[in-house]
Amino acid sequence: MYPRPFHYHRASSLREAVTMLSQLGEDARFLAGGQSLIPLMKLRFSNPSHLVDLSFVPGAAYIKQERSALHFGALTRHSEIENSATAAMLPVLHDCAAGIADVQVRNRGTIGGSLAEADPSGDWATVLLTQETELRCLGPSGERTVPLRGFITDAYTTVLGHDELIQEVIVRIPPPGSGGAYLAFKRSAPVYPTASVAVQLTMDGGVCKDAVITLGCVGLTVVRSEGSEAALRGHEIDDKAIAAAMEAARAAADPQADMRGSVEYKRVLVAALLKRAIEIAMRRARGEQVEVSHIYA
Amino acid sequence: MPDIFEKVAIQLKVNGKTHSLTVEPRMLLVELLREALDLTGTHVGCDTTYCGACTVIMNGAAVKSCTVFAVQADGAEITTVEGLEKDGKLHPIQQAFGDSFGLQCGYCTPGLMLSTLQLLSKNQQPSDKDIRKAIAGNTCRCTGYQNIFKAIQLAAQNTKGA
Ligand SMILES: Cc1cc2nc3c(=O)[nH]c(=O)nc-3n(C[C@H](O)[C@H](O)[C@H](O)COP(=O)(O)OP(=O)(O)OC[C@H]3O[C@@H](n4cnc5c(N)ncnc54)[C@H](O)[C@@H]3O)c2cc1C
Ligand code: FES
Ligand code: FES
């Protein structure tokens, strides 16, 4: 399958890429790993006249710790995060990176491209919304830093201007006593999950001081389950609290029926994933090492 | 008025040999390999980034060549299935796929062998789980995977210390 013909431009810096896109107009797009854009172009769902390739920009892919935050260059590939000892400081990032699609897609796809694409089934936004995440963006009028909360406004839609790009993803390292987990349920590797859940719990002994809970693939954007958070916050996390959190997640989910399952099936699935994710996050909050990966049907 | 879409000059090394070409920006890497370089061992199964039949190694990393523009492979080193054999001798991975009956129709095999190559280049003693993860992006419609699995275990044994 051939995409429509297009003009190709290779940027040598992110600033140059922004300038190019501004000049080329509305019909131009950035190209990063191409793992969302190329399939869409081959199906002719997306038909840009110009592509500005970011993947040759030197120094745009990196993972580093600066004081109390991890910094990811937007062009950092999923596989680089999967295999990074620095990123592993936040086990929830490894849970996510190691489960996206398959080896080949992870070797190309980037964290910046994933967030910019804002696919309702994408993994990164669900996970990073449970963390304190900021995006350093670059546009024609310069740089701005925006919180990830509020960045995605609708399915496939973000607050980015047409000629604005994500330069860096900054994730604050949670305090000791805080633990997270991300669980996604998939039918096979090279597909998006059917449903997913991310949890971050801050514990004080057996009592939950704070909880952030998001649900993926069950709405046009990531669903924050505030009812589930309230069911845990300030409480001992016992079977009763978990049952209440599950019930709230079931109610908060707003899935669509498709080939991956019915509405009711997906509601039951997110609730079940939440139970497991809470248990893992609690163990991690206690300092246990728990290995997690996507669950297959 | 038809637009003029400039071709782009690129240079890449495929199986150790350097090629300089000018390509249309929309040309996919798999077409460059199959149509321009006549390396037809790289297969197109789904053409939708699912099946992995088009897997090649690009700068040390397995990629689905139906989902990479040829212009993005400028300056890259590529290994295709044709690059596995050396001096008329099968690569240990090829030998192992044969010895373990790890193929039937063979359509998926080049992609699976290159996914195996990436796995073994990073991990010489893969666990069963490592193997399953490494080939999760490769679909086989014939074998039921068990013999492919055995072939990769055998290849791992045979390449150890090689
Ligand atoms: C078979 C398959 C299975 C997949 N499964 C999953 C999965 O399970 N979970 C998951 O999360 N994802 C999945 N993906 C998507 C994959 O993670 C993509 O890599 C990712 O969504 C997009 O990243 P990219 O770098 O490839 O972006 P591209 O495809 O290059 O670009 C995507 C969009 O973002 C824009 N863009 C890219 N980079 C930037 C930037 N820095 N700033 C602003 N805009 C930018 C582009 O203009 C384009 O509109 C899958 C993809 C495939 C092909
Ligand atoms: S042909 Fe490329 S993944 Fe199927
Ligand atoms: S051997 Fe026929 S598809 Fe795998």
Side-chain angles (χ1 to χ4, degrees):
Chain A
M1 293 183 295
Y2 293 85
R4 289 257 169 82
F6 58 87
H7 300 277
Y8 176 80
H9 311 265
R10 189 174 293 167
S12 52
S13 70
L14 294 179
R15 185 158 293 285
E16 187 192 27
V18 168
T19 308
M20 283 175 167
L21 218 78
S22 304
Q23 286 166 356
L24 294 167
E26 291 283 330
D27 214 12
R29 287 288 203 96
F30 296 118
L31 171 67
Q35 300 302 289
S36 290
L37 190 54
I38 297 176
L40 287 172
M41 288 175 65
K42 288 171 71 180
L43 295 168
R44 303 207 174 188
F45 290 151
S46 177
N47 300 296
S49 305
H50 298 270
L51 286 189
V52 173
D53 193 350
L54 306 176
S55 58
F56 286 83
V57 172
Y62 53 82
I63 303 170
K64 59 186 183 200
Q65 183 189 352
E66 269 176 24
R67 291 184 295 279
S68 56
L70 298 183
H71 294 243
F72 299 88
L75 275 289
T76 308
R77 302 192 193 275
H78 308 318
S79 58
E80 291 171 309
I81 300 175
E82 174 185 5
N83 296 314
S84 154
T86 307
M89 289 174 64
L90 269 69
V92 74
L93 301 182
H94 183 270
D95 298 348
C96 174
I100 294 173
D102 50 44
V103 175
Q104 296 96 315
V105 171
R106 294 197 293 274
N107 278 339
R108 295 295 296 163
T110 67
I111 188 170
S114 181
L115 292 171
E117 179 69 12
D119 189 302
S121 302
D123 287 287
W124 277 122
T126 312
V127 172
L128 292 176
L129 279 166
T130 62
Q131 308 296 313
E132 292 212 22
T133 307
E134 289 182 324
L135 306 179
R136 207 147 63 78
C137 303
L138 183 68
S141 49
E143 241 184 75
R144 62 169 175 155
T145 300
V146 295
L148 182 61
R149 277 180 202 151
F151 175 78
I152 296 173
T153 54
D154 202 348
Y156 305 104
T157 314
T158 71
V159 299
L160 283 178
H162 136 268
D163 47 7
E164 191 176 17
L165 54 74
I166 301 172
Q167 185 171 352
E168 187 178 70
V169 180
I170 306 169
V171 187
R172 182 91 55 84
I173 299 169
S178 190
Y182 178 64
L183 277 179
F185 183 86
K186 318 179 65 164
R187 293 170 307 146
S188 74
V191 299
Y192 286 88
T194 306
S196 67
V197 172
V199 171
Q200 186 73 31
L201 300 178
T202 307
M203 304 295 291
D204 187 359
V207 177
C208 172
K209 263 172 45 193
D210 197 14
V212 187
I213 294 175
T214 57
L215 316 175
C217 319
V218 290
L220 291 179
T221 59
V222 176
V223 173
R224 177 136 181 212
S225 186
E226 284 170 5
S228 307
E229 296 171 2
L232 303 183
R233 200 179 292 123
H235 297 279
E236 193 97 30
I237 300 187
D238 52 16
D239 290 350
K240 205 170 130 233
I242 293 177
M246 287 167 69
E247 194 44 48
R250 212 181 142 108
D254 184 19
Q256 294 194 334
D258 57 20
M259 79 271 193
R260 297 179 206 158
S262 66
V263 169
E264 186 49 25
Y265 170 77
K266 291 185 186 180
R267 288 218 162 101
V268 172
L269 182 56
V270 276
L273 289 172
L274 177 59
K275 180 171 195 281
R276 289 203 202 182
I278 291 172
E279 287 162 358
I280 296 161
M282 278 170 62
R283 290 170 59 197
R284 283 184 174 160
R286 286 197 292 263
E288 270 183 60
Q289 304 273 342
V290 189
E291 211 193 308
V292 174
S293 63
H294 286 42
I295 302 168
Y296 286 90
Chain B
M1 270 286 284
D3 221 341
I4 308 232
F5 295 91
E6 320 78 26
K7 289 196 173 181
V8 180
I10 62 168
Q11 192 177 72
L12 71 176
K13 207 183 228 183
V14 182
N15 303 329
K17 201 168 153 221
T18 302
H19 300 270
S20 300
L21 310 98
T22 37
V23 299
E24 241 193 286
R26 66 170 168 168
M27 178 182 254
L28 296 158
L29 177 59
V30 70
E31 295 166 40
L32 176 130
L33 296 170
R34 289 179 55 87
E35 314 288 334
L37 303 182
D38 210 17
L39 294 169
T40 53
T42 304
H43 293 164
V44 178
C46 64
D47 213 359
T48 54
T49 335
Y50 187 89
C51 73
C54 64
T55 301
V56 301
I57 306 291
M58 175 166 157
N59 295 331
V63 302
K64 292 180 174 174
S65 61
C66 74
T67 313
V68 177
F69 287 125
V71 287
Q72 296 183 289
D74 191 11
E77 285 197 27
I78 309 275
T79 304
T80 70
V81 67
E82 289 88 348
L84 289 180
E85 185 188 298
K86 288 267 150 20
D87 308 320
K89 226 178 140 243
L90 291 182
H91 188 281
I93 294 173
Q94 293 174 305
Q95 191 66 49
F97 268 73
D99 291 346
S100 310
F101 299 96
L103 66 152
Q104 289 179 25
C105 80
Y107 204 83
C108 66
T109 314
L112 272 157
M113 292 199 297
L114 289 159
S115 288
T116 306
L117 184 66
Q118 151 141 45
L119 170 70
L120 298 183
S121 72
K122 309 233 146 105
N123 179 355
Q124 266 135 46
Q125 281 171 296
S127 65
D128 289 0
K129 198 172 142 224
D130 295 335
I131 296 178
R132 284 181 207 284
K133 253 198 118 176
I135 60 167
N138 294 77
T139 304
C140 174
R141 287 292 191 218
C142 301
T143 61
Y145 299 101
Q146 294 313 314
N147 286 352
I148 293 175
F149 198 75
K150 287 183 197 148
I152 297 172
Q153 288 174 320
L154 181 63
Q157 279 170 26
N158 291 349
T159 44
K160 229 180 285 164

